[in-house]
């Protein structure tokens, strides 16, 4: 099969994934309502008790919320793959003259589209509660590109989860149980130095911390250091490792 045929199959399956959302509008809750609730809760309930020297809490928070939302944007892929496996649709795909890789690449490409939509929503909400960019337009574009890269990397994590889970419900539970601690034990919501001393080294070396710090540097101009390159490298590494694992699991599950 040629590369153009594989690309065409990928686009068809990406479209299929996106068409699922209008038919199941409750999926939009994960892209809109949940991130908005996080913003409102942290800004208006917890924000007054959290000290972020040198920067307002809303400016500190929004990059962290954005990166967290991008990480969880792939939950639709986990749900979709688990559901397709449960219903036997993957076996139907095997019988068609199509690229097998398109089942996974189509899903993750659709996540990139939905993450773009979610990013717009998050920025609008952020501006509504007082967030403002503090860097150049080029740096802001770089921050947006980084956020989408992070989201794409974690789509492959969710792809693997969807292929491993026994049901869509289990896939959803696995994703949140595994990733929630990672996102909260980081600099996303509070400064690392405010955490207990034993927890600080874990948070400091958490790859999610690098991603959030990089987004914060690109959006509001906090010191970057080597955070941006580390965030890019971690994102590429996660995408590479989990795409290989997801493809292996897919082949193992449906057979060669």
């Amino acid at each position: 099969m040629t590369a153009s045929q594989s690309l065409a199959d990928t686009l068809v399956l990406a479209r299929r994934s996106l068409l699922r959302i209008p038919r199941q509008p409750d999926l939009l809750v994960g892209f809109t309502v949940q991130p908005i609730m996080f913003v409102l809760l942290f800004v208006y309930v917890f924000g007054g008790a959290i000290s972020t020297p040198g920067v307002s809490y809303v400016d500190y928070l929004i990059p962290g919320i954005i990166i967290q939302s991008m990480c969880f944007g792939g939950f639709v892929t986990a749900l979709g793959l688990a559901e397709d496996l449960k219903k036997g649709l993957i076996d139907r795909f095997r019988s068609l003259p199509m690229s097998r890789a398109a089942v996974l690449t189509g899903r993750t490409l659709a996540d990139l589209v939905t993450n773009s939509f979610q990013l717009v929503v998050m920025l609008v909400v952020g501006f509504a509660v007082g967030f403002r960019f503090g860097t150049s337009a080029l740096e802001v574009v770089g921050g947006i590109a980084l956020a989408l890269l992070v989201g794409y990397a974690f789509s492959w994590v969710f792809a693997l989860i969807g292929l491993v889970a026994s049901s869509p419900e289990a896939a959803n539970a696995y994703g949140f149980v595994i990733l929630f601690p990672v996102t909260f034990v980081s600099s996303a919501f509070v400064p690392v130095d405010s955490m207990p001393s034993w927890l600080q080294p874990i948070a400091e070396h958490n790859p999610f911390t690098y991603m959030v710090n990089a987004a914060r540097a690109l959006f509001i101009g906090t010191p970057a250091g080597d955070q941006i390159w580390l965030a890019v490298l971690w994102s590429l590494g996660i995408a590479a490792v989990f795409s290989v694992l997801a493809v292996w699991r897919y082949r193992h599950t449906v057979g060669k």
Side-chain angles (χ1 to χ4, degrees):
M1 179 170 289
T2 65
S4 60
Q5 290 173 320
S6 296
L7 177 60
D9 291 339
T10 294
L11 294 176
V12 168
L13 289 179
R15 181 174 180 272
R16 170 181 175 265
S17 298
L18 293 172
L19 288 175
R20 182 185 180 189
I21 295 175
R23 295 166 184 166
Q24 294 179 270
D26 53 310
L27 291 174
L28 288 173
V29 171
F31 298 124
T32 55
V33 177
Q34 182 174 295
I36 291 172
M37 287 179 60
F38 267 104
V39 171
L40 297 179
L41 284 171
F42 275 91
V43 171
Y44 295 115
V45 178
F46 304 119
I50 300 174
S51 175
T52 52
V55 61
S56 68
Y57 184 66
V58 67
D59 286 341
Y60 182 92
L61 174 70
I62 295 301
I65 290 284
I66 286 175
I67 297 299
Q68 185 200 48
S69 299
M70 294 296 101
C71 286
F72 284 99
F75 79 96
V76 174
T77 283
L79 294 177
L81 286 172
E83 185 176 7
D84 287 347
L85 284 169
K86 186 177 181 180
K87 293 181 176 179
L89 190 58
I90 298 294
D91 292 329
R92 173 59 176 162
F93 287 152
R94 289 179 61 200
S95 68
L96 297 174
M98 59 174 286
S99 168
R100 292 189 181 183
V103 174
L104 298 179
T105 56
R107 288 281 184 183
T108 54
L109 178 61
D111 286 343
L112 193 59
V113 175
T114 54
N115 277 341
S116 299
F117 168 74
Q118 185 176 204
L119 182 56
V120 171
V121 172
M122 294 304 304
L123 289 175
V124 170
V125 175
F127 284 129
V129 298
F131 172 74
R132 296 295 183 269
F133 292 123
T135 55
S136 67
L138 185 61
E139 288 171 306
V140 170
V141 170
I144 292 172
L146 174 64
L148 293 175
L149 174 62
V150 170
Y152 185 74
F154 278 89
S155 288
W156 286 105
V157 177
F158 275 100
L160 179 62
I161 290 172
L163 293 169
V164 170
S166 59
S167 68
E169 295 77 14
N172 191 49
Y174 290 161
F176 281 88
V177 168
I178 294 170
L179 291 181
F180 246 86
V182 174
T183 59
F184 274 90
V185 183
S186 72
S187 65
F189 305 105
V190 298
V192 171
D193 58 13
S194 69
M195 299 178 184
S197 58
W198 61 268
L199 191 58
Q200 289 182 23
I202 299 173
E204 286 174 357
H205 298 290
N206 181 348
F208 191 76
T209 292
Y210 299 142
M211 297 168 185
V212 171
N213 289 347
R216 202 169 276 139
L218 291 168
F219 283 151
I220 65 173
T222 54
D226 56 0
Q227 302 288 302
I228 296 174
W229 292 114
L230 286 172
V232 171
L233 289 174
W234 267 106
S235 298
L236 294 175
I238 290 171
V241 171
F242 281 90
S243 62
V244 170
L245 291 175
V247 170
W248 171 83
R249 179 64 186 183
Y250 178 72
R251 290 176 175 174
H252 176 76
T253 301
V254 304
K256 296 184 179 179

